[in-house]
Amino acid sequence: MSRQHKIWTGAATLVTALAVILLVNTTIWAHCDGLDGPVVADARVALEAGDVTPVLKWIPEADEQEVREAFDQALVVREQGPEARQLADRYFFETLVRLHRAYEGAPFTGLLPSGAEVSPAIAKADDALEQGDVDELARHIAEAVEASIREHFAAAIAAKANKDESVEAGREYVDEYVQYVHFVKHLHEAVTEDQDYGHGHEAHN
């Protein structure tokens, strides 16, 4: 197994650990690309009211014209009967979600059915917003991250103590060292990149 593979395996282990932690006592529901997610929920409200305004917050200004056109087309087709109404709604949902996903920098692979499972972390994040309290979410993630960093540190410090005994011991130390520093680096980059994304996202609003 290559060192880089081990590093990413460690990162994947952290993600898995976080998912397990966050899954406890968590109701999982579809998110932005789900038929029961917040984007489609606002789209239903907009269609029933005949007012596109509620969905515009989900897309950048550059995509507003496309959304307005899709909305107007959907309103016209909806008048043709129940089956046409379903098709029109689906067309508008897919257009809106596709553009929103692109705004997030994520691919659109189709609408998820109602009740589809999503990342426990996303579900927990939404739950925190609903409750108006992020303390539990922040604590769980912080504890998992700290435990993983300490695990990598312990392995590196133990290997460091024996690094001069032989070439093999030295290589073992280097291997643990690389995993440790790169694991921390990836975590730090994930946090700082997320902050940068947040600032950029605010610039669109």
Side-chain angles (χ1 to χ4, degrees), residues 103-105 121-122 125 134 137 141 185-203:
Y103 184 36
E104 289 184 314
I122 291 177
V134 76
L137 172 64
I141 292 179
K185 174 178 178 287
H186 291 318
L187 287 174
H188 182 264
E189 288 178 347
V191 172
T192 55
E193 287 175 4
D194 184 63
Q195 291 174 342
D196 291 341
Y197 169 77
H199 294 319
H201 212 62
E202 290 170 0

Side-chain angles (χ1 to χ4, degrees), residues 15-36:
V15 172
T16 301
L18 289 174
V20 171
I21 291 171
L22 295 172
L23 183 59
V24 178
N25 296 324
T26 298
T27 300
I28 300 176
W29 59 91
H31 203 244
C32 292
D33 52 354
L35 285 172
D36 51 358

Side-chain angles (χ1 to χ4, degrees), residues 145-181:
V145 170
E146 180 180 355
S148 294
I149 291 176
R150 288 184 179 279
E151 180 181 348
H152 281 280
F153 174 80
I157 201 73
K160 181 181 179 182
N162 304 316
K163 66 183 178 66
D164 296 324
E165 292 183 358
S166 66
V167 173
E168 289 74 16
R171 287 171 177 163
E172 180 179 351
Y173 165 65
V174 170
D175 186 49
E176 295 295 349
Y177 169 78
V178 169
Q179 291 186 61
Y180 165 61
V181 296

